[in-house]
Amino acid sequence: MTRIRVAAYVIRHRAVPELLVFDHVGMPEAGTQIPAGGVHPGERLEHAVLRELAEETGMRSASVIRQVAAEDTTTYFHLHALPTTPDAWTHTVQGQGDDAGLTFSCRFVPLPLEHPLTGGQDAWLDRIDARWTAER
């Protein structure tokens, strides 16, 4: 059975648009990533992306702007973060999923990115319309 996934381009606007990324604490080989994960059976994709964001980063204040792209089994979403969201934090994943107990170092980085994301996760960033990254 194919696993359906979602991924979150969480954008915060300050002087320039910034993207939320994270690294696995103690696992540098995992590379820099965006929040992403599996969709539960019967779960709406928009709900899944917000759930994955909360599970992996602890962030609960983002809002879904729109679907950006669907690639193979992963659907990418553009989300908006408040400008008052912290610059950086660590979060330990709770629950029963594959990431349970892992600690992620989360931070916002300016766009365009200096370095590519793991697994080509940045492939659809150019589809985010700059109008939607401005403060709202």
Side-chain angles (χ1 to χ4, degrees):
M1 183 176 191
T2 303
R3 184 173 183 210
I4 304 299
R5 297 177 48 82
V6 290
Y9 290 135
V10 181
I11 305 294
R12 175 182 79 170
H13 193 274
R14 293 238 176 123
V16 298
E18 299 169 321
L19 176 68
L20 176 63
V21 298
F22 69 84
D23 296 294
H24 293 246
V25 173
M27 296 175 60
E29 67 278 6
T32 301
Q33 303 175 38
I34 57 173
V39 177
H40 296 158
E43 186 177 31
R44 290 183 42 234
L45 296 179
E46 292 84 358
H47 181 266
V49 75
L50 289 170
R51 178 184 48 75
E52 284 294 334
L53 175 64
E55 287 176 5
E56 293 186 354
T57 70
M59 186 177 192
R60 298 183 186 283
S61 60
S63 56
V64 174
I65 300 297
R66 69 179 182 90
Q67 180 179 322
V68 175
E71 170 189 80
D72 299 324
T73 60
T74 303
T75 301
Y76 289 79
F77 285 89
H78 172 192
L79 282 73
H80 176 264
L82 298 173
T84 54
T85 305
D87 294 336
W89 67 94
T90 58
H91 177 74
T92 300
V93 179
Q94 307 297 312
Q96 305 297 320
D98 294 340
D99 293 341
L102 295 178
T103 299
F104 298 145
S105 177
C106 307
R107 69 188 184 286
F108 281 93
V109 296
L111 292 174
L113 295 175
E114 277 188 37
H115 306 286
L117 299 175
T118 296
Q121 289 182 326
D122 51 345
W124 305 105
L125 266 174
D126 63 346
R127 289 198 177 179
I128 294 179
D129 190 324
R131 292 176 299 173
W132 292 105
T133 62
E135 272 189 75
R136 302 165 62 205

